[in-house]
Amino acid sequence: MMMISEFLYIISWFLIIEIIGLISFPIVLFACPNLNDKGYSISKTLGILLLTFMTWILVSLHILKFGLFSILFSGLIITIIAVLLSYKYRMNPLELLKEHKNIILKNELVFTISFLVFLLILVKNPNIFYSYSEDFMDYGFIKAILRTEYFPPADPWYAGSSLTYYYGGHLIIAIMTLLSGVPSFIAYNIAGAMFFALTVLASYGLGYNLTQKSSYGLLTALFVAFTGFLSGLLQFTAFVFPDLGIAVGYQPENVNNIIEWFLTYPFHDINRIIPNTLNFYPGFVFLQGDIHGHMTSIPFQVAYISYIYGNIVKRTNPVSRLNQTFEILILGIFLGFFLFINSWNYPTYVIFTGLAIALAKFRGVTSDFYAVLLSKIPLIIEPLVKIVVVSVIMYSPYLILSSSKGFYGIGLIGGKTQLSEFLEIFALFVFILATLMWFLMRNDPKTIAGIVLLSFLLAWISGFHILIIVIPIILVSVIRMQKALDEKSDNLSFVLLLAVTGTLLVLFCDLFYISDSYTKPHHRMNTVMKIYLEIWIFLAIASSNALFFIMRDSSILSGFRKRFSKTKVVWVIMLISLIIASMISPLAMSLTLSGGKETLYGKTPSFDTLNGLDYLFNEYPWDLIAIDWIDKNIDGSHTMVEASGDAYTYSSRVSSLTGLSTVIGWRSHEQMWRGIWSGVGTRQDDTDHIFNSKCNEKTLELLEKYDVEYIYIGELEREKYSKAGLQKFEVHTGSYELVYENSGVSIYSAKLSNDNVSKQSLISS
């Protein structure tokens, strides 16, 4: 059982989210008045975004220091804006909540259940662990933000420098931590459940708004947030039929029965379906638990798609110039947030925004479509440019001060994804979208035959086999989108737009790659990992709602006795089979993690808890006690040197778990972010010299170089460095003072020069 205090922390966090959602509801209502749920399903997500942005900009411009006051002040500004909008436009949010109480209750039920269910998984395996995950990095960012006064925060792994990595998601957690009063080592896990629940809620709302059916809202949430690769089915096949499993590329697990298989699922085996890349689906990254940019951005991606649908595609009533200015401001803040939370998303959603504007501008255009094409282009470009310019201006402090130097441009021909690899990832979505394409073109067999022939011919000539799937979806969607607009079927046209966007991204990942620190053959590692998550979101939303149009118009469920009834029965069986197959991997992963597979994320806690540092009580107790002392006695941003080490090991643990900066943390990560290989190596050598050298003068010189105030000596330092080198901190009492000690850890303060003392305070009393 969890401790009572943890239940109270959950309630506190939950209530804060509800308050933020209610405050921001009038803003969403103003921007998306034509949505069936009035935008309620994205009000929590947009509210968190606006609160984060407002706090960040005030602190970045040094108007206020980061802390509870700056957060509450930002919340007050948002509240005033919401009240003014309600008054000026005579909106009565309370009346609307009453009028749509059934819809609101369903939204709240979806959010609450998904939030609590995910917490039930996390209490079985809450560890902020170092192996197989980037928890140490993400937790270190959060702790560093909590220690900062002004942004950008200090980099805990590169002393003397600010964060170069996008830290928007980490700032969200820091803000929620301060508002709710939840300890950071518990907040880390509650935040994971929050991001999952926000994704489920936004997906549910979008599905409902597109179909006016709660069932398709739930299906959209299922497809986006929970279904996974067909790898689960293939791994299960390898267990039941070992020879067949080996033939499809999976080794059978050495377990006794099906139950044991589900409780010891090797989920990391599915990470590398496409060779030399990493492959994730949203459910995987939520369950893995890394509070990383590609995870924290997921609910904002879904909410942005929903916002674009409500604000641009469904917006039919004319708005004044003042209203347009306010709407562009909100859109710019929303779009620019991707720069801040996961920069990989930004180009995709700039393009998607432009396509959505084009969709809206061509509403009502009939037979003279191509004749008015040129006249519409300026009407599309102008608002898009305004939105993009606003987004860049709003986040310019981040772009100027925190931009990463680990990207080198765009490379040509990233690789050729095999058709079998692509289908192992996206088979369910491809099956549904292929059905929709056939259904839309069934009365024009010549055109569809020509498109299929063209796709096979281009695939054969180029060697890009995925063209067999990509080209038909793109061409049929574009052709039918025009007709859908003629028929004023905005919802179908929007679903087709999502399908086109997703498949264009698929094509991009084969033709291009983002050049970064990874070299061949791993050159498109990040490109595929990050962009395939975006593809999943677009195709999941498109396919789940495509089913609505297929079922509604083709009468598949009621037409078994009509012509082609056998085909329809087979289709339904295949659909259900693919959905079940796609759920094996996330279900098995959930059971494995909640069962506590010790070799992955540390030992299962002795009792259910959300304390992410619980495992340290048994594994590294002296570090845990010292870290607790640091948190309680050292305020603000400071530098503490510790043993450096490799990524995904128990190293850089003090900087990671306290937010204090160290000279160099996980080297490979800093090399990727900064692109400074020699600088990282120099810091490694200097750290070794600080601990190993018997020459105190040289050590003091290096401590001054990095403005080091504290030296941490624990088990790792005693294992890695010479005894003679470590003894100098004890011997030279004129240079160092022992400020803390337990049975396994000693912490010394370096007696700094007058310049350094004037810059930074020492231990708080």
Side-chain angles (χ1 to χ4, degrees):
M1 294 290 292
M2 289 191 295
M3 296 175 64
I4 294 177
S5 60
E6 294 191 22
F7 282 110
L8 296 176
Y9 291 145
I10 293 170
I11 293 171
S12 174
W13 193 287
F14 183 85
L15 290 176
I16 293 295
I17 298 173
E18 291 294 322
I19 293 169
I20 291 173
L22 289 173
I23 289 173
S24 62
F25 178 55
I27 299 175
V28 184
L29 179 60
F30 167 79
C32 306
N34 296 327
L35 289 179
N36 294 315
D37 69 355
K38 303 303 178 183
Y40 191 84
S41 58
I42 61 172
S43 61
K44 293 179 175 64
T45 307
L46 181 62
I48 290 171
L49 184 154
L50 292 175
L51 180 63
T52 303
F53 169 77
M54 192 66 67
T55 304
W56 169 79
I57 196 69
L58 290 173
V59 176
S60 294
L61 297 178
H62 289 224
I63 297 172
L64 293 174
K65 291 183 179 181
F66 180 63
L68 187 58
F69 177 78
S70 60
I71 298 168
L72 292 175
F73 185 79
S74 300
L76 178 62
I77 294 174
I78 296 168
T79 303
I80 292 172
I81 293 171
V83 171
L84 290 176
L85 284 174
S86 299
Y87 176 77
K88 180 176 175 58
Y89 297 100
R90 297 180 181 178
M91 298 185 299
N92 191 332
L94 293 178
E95 285 295 324
L96 283 169
L97 290 175
K98 288 181 181 179
E99 184 181 342
H100 298 85
K101 62 181 179 181
N102 290 334
I103 297 173
I104 304 304
L105 287 173
K106 288 178 181 178
N107 274 269
E108 289 296 347
L109 195 61
V110 167
F111 178 76
T112 304
I113 291 175
S114 55
F115 182 68
L116 294 177
V117 167
F118 208 82
L119 284 174
L120 289 176
I121 296 173
L122 289 172
V123 297
K124 298 293 185 180
N125 209 316
N127 300 340
I128 299 172
F129 210 55
Y130 45 89
S131 180
Y132 290 95
S133 77
E134 291 180 315
D135 283 343
F136 265 30
M137 167 196 147
D138 294 313
Y139 189 70
F141 283 7
I142 295 166
K143 294 290 287 187
I145 291 170
L146 288 169
R147 287 183 172 276
T148 197
E149 289 187 348
Y150 298 107
F151 296 142
D155 187 339
W157 286 351
Y158 208 84
S161 176
S162 60
L163 280 178
T164 61
Y165 201 78
Y166 33 82
Y167 59 90
H170 308 92
L171 177 57
I172 290 171
I173 301 172
I175 289 172
M176 291 295 297
T177 299
L178 291 174
L179 281 175
S180 62
V182 177
S184 55
F185 48 81
I186 292 176
Y188 189 87
N189 284 306
I190 299 179
M194 176 188 70
F195 287 117
F196 174 77
L198 290 174
T199 300
V200 171
L201 178 59
S203 302
Y204 168 81
L206 183 52
Y208 174 79
N209 286 321
L210 283 168
T211 65
Q212 298 187 47
K213 301 283 186 181
S214 294
S215 56
Y216 284 96
L218 293 173
L219 189 68
T220 305
L222 179 74
F223 278 22
V224 171
F226 193 74
T227 56
F229 303 156
L230 286 190
S231 312
L233 175 64
L234 299 179
Q235 289 166 306
F236 186 74
T237 300
F239 168 67
V240 179
F241 306 105
D243 293 337
L244 181 58
I246 293 172
V248 297
Y250 286 98
Q251 293 291 329
E253 284 291 290
N254 185 25
V255 293
N256 298 316
N257 52 58
I258 291 176
I259 295 176
E260 190 174 339
W261 184 86
F262 272 96
L263 292 176
T264 57
Y265 176 62
F267 55 85
H268 280 284
D269 289 353
I270 68 170
N271 277 2
R272 301 179 185 274
I273 296 172
I274 302 173
N276 303 312
T277 69
L278 287 174
N279 313 124
F280 297 137
Y281 56 85
F284 182 100
V285 297
F286 284 127
L287 288 167
Q288 189 179 32
D290 291 3
I291 307 297
H292 214 58
H294 61 263
M295 184 263 253
T296 58
S297 70
I298 292 173
F300 297 95
Q301 292 184 61
V302 181
Y304 186 78
I305 292 170
S306 186
Y307 190 90
I308 289 293
Y309 169 70
N311 184 252
I312 294 178
V313 177
K314 293 294 287 184
R315 172 72 87 173
T316 55
N317 54 310
V319 293
S320 66
R321 185 173 296 274
L322 180 63
N323 290 2
Q324 287 179 349
T325 302
F326 183 76
E327 290 186 2
I328 287 174
L329 177 64
I330 297 297
L331 266 170
I333 292 172
F334 207 153
L335 176 63
F337 196 68
F338 292 118
L339 291 168
F340 189 43
I341 195 169
N342 185 8
S343 302
W344 288 83
N345 300 147
Y346 183 75
T348 294
Y349 286 97
V350 168
I351 294 170
F352 173 70
T353 303
L355 293 174
I357 293 172
L359 192 68
K361 294 300 181 183
F362 280 103
R363 184 190 294 116
V365 176
T366 54
S367 57
D368 58 346
F369 179 87
Y370 296 103
V372 301
L373 181 60
L374 290 177
S375 65
K376 291 287 184 180
I377 290 177
L379 300 178
I380 298 167
I381 293 177
E382 181 186 354
L384 179 62
V385 169
K386 288 179 179 177
I387 294 167
V388 171
V389 169
V390 169
S391 71
V392 172
I393 292 173
M394 289 293 116
Y395 292 89
S396 55
Y398 169 75
L399 295 173
I400 293 169
L401 298 174
S402 304
S403 58
S404 173
K405 300 178 179 64
F407 297 96
Y408 311 114
I410 298 178
L412 187 62
I413 310 297
K416 294 182 179 180
T417 303
Q418 297 301 310
L419 191 59
S420 59
E421 298 162 357
F422 184 77
L423 289 175
E424 186 174 342
I425 296 173
F426 295 115
L428 172 61
F429 307 152
V430 169
F431 176 76
I432 296 172
L433 292 176
T435 302
L436 179 65
M437 299 304 115
W438 172 85
F439 172 69
L440 293 174
M441 299 295 292
R442 68 190 187 282
N443 295 325
D444 192 359
K446 290 185 179 179
T447 301
I448 192 67
I451 290 173
V452 171
L453 181 62
L454 175 66
S455 65
F456 273 90
L457 183 62
L458 290 177
W460 176 64
I461 293 173
S462 66
F464 289 94
H465 297 158
I466 60 169
L467 294 179
I468 295 171
I469 293 172
V470 169
I471 289 179
I473 292 177
I474 293 174
L475 293 182
V476 173
S477 295
V478 171
I479 292 170
R480 293 301 300 183
M481 209 182 300
Q482 180 188 352
K483 187 170 183 180
L485 288 171
D486 293 346
E487 298 170 352
K488 297 182 179 179
S489 180
D490 293 340
N491 292 356
L492 176 58
S493 63
F494 189 71
V495 168
L496 294 173
L497 177 65
L498 294 172
V500 167
T501 306
T503 46
L504 285 174
L505 289 172
V506 172
L507 197 57
F508 175 87
C509 288
D510 266 26
L511 297 179
F512 306 98
Y513 66 95
I514 307 300
S515 180
D516 55 19
S517 296
Y518 285 107
T519 57
K520 291 186 177 181
H522 302 97
H523 53 290
R524 66 175 188 148
M525 172 85 74
N526 269 320
T527 303
V528 170
M529 180 182 75
K530 302 291 175 61
I531 296 180
Y532 263 55
L533 276 169
E534 299 174 357
I535 295 168
W536 185 280
I537 291 169
F538 282 107
L539 297 187
I541 297 170
S543 58
S544 56
N545 291 282
L547 279 175
F548 169 75
F549 296 100
I550 294 169
M551 297 292 190
R552 182 192 67 177
D553 295 334
S554 65
S555 303
I556 284 181
L557 293 180
S558 61
F560 290 147
R561 296 182 181 178
K562 298 180 181 179
R563 189 180 178 189
F564 305 124
S565 61
K566 290 183 179 178
T567 302
K568 293 175 182 179
V569 170
V570 170
W571 184 88
V572 171
I573 292 173
M574 289 181 64
L575 174 65
I576 294 173
S577 299
L578 282 171
I579 292 175
I580 293 173
S582 298
M583 292 174 65
I584 292 176
S585 177
L587 178 61
M589 185 176 176
S590 301
L591 294 172
T592 295
L593 287 176
S594 60
K597 191 170 183 181
E598 296 181 5
T599 57
L600 291 174
Y601 292 104
K603 293 181 179 179
T604 307
S606 55
F607 59 91
D608 293 344
T609 181
L610 289 170
N611 183 348
L613 302 183
D614 177 80
Y615 71 99
L616 292 177
F617 278 108
N618 294 319
E619 297 188 19
Y620 301 99
W622 304 122
D623 278 342
L624 181 61
I625 296 169
I627 286 165
D628 181 64
W629 180 87
I630 291 170
D631 276 342
K632 292 176 179 177
N633 291 276
I634 302 180
D635 297 327
S637 298
H638 301 275
T639 300
M640 177 180 288
V641 68
E642 62 178 318
S644 62
D646 297 322
Y648 310 110
T649 64
Y650 185 69
S651 63
S652 310
R653 79 280 194 204
V654 182
S655 51
S656 299
L657 301 180
T658 67
L660 295 175
S661 294
T662 190
V663 175
I664 185 65
W666 285 6
R667 297 185 298 271
S668 59
H669 285 61
E670 290 291 349
Q671 289 165 351
M672 284 190 293
W673 303 334
R674 299 177 182 277
I676 307 173
W677 297 84
S678 59
V680 170
T682 299
R683 285 173 175 255
Q684 169 71 64
D685 294 340
D686 288 346
T687 299
D688 292 343
H689 195 99
I690 288 171
F691 284 110
N692 270 331
S693 176
K694 297 179 183 178
C695 176
N696 192 49
E697 288 74 15
K698 177 62 175 176
T699 299
L700 287 172
E701 180 183 326
L702 291 173
L703 294 176
E704 290 279 354
K705 176 181 178 181
Y706 296 107
D707 203 11
V708 174
E709 297 175 67
Y710 303 101
I711 301 99
Y712 188 96
I713 301 175
E715 181 181 347
L716 295 189
E717 286 73 23
R718 292 188 180 95
E719 289 178 355
K720 185 172 183 178
Y721 300 113
S722 68
K723 186 176 181 180
L726 296 179
Q727 279 182 336
K728 66 177 175 290
F729 300 111
E730 181 181 352
V731 171
H732 293 281
T733 55
S735 302
Y736 315 102
E737 178 184 354
L738 181 66
V739 294
Y740 174 79
E741 186 175 33
N742 64 37
S743 297
V745 173
S746 299
I747 299 176
Y748 293 90
S749 70
K751 296 184 178 180
L752 306 175
S753 67
N754 290 333
D755 289 340
N756 281 338
V757 170
S758 66
K759 286 191 297 180
Q760 299 194 39
S761 61
L762 291 177
I763 302 173
S764 64
S765 57

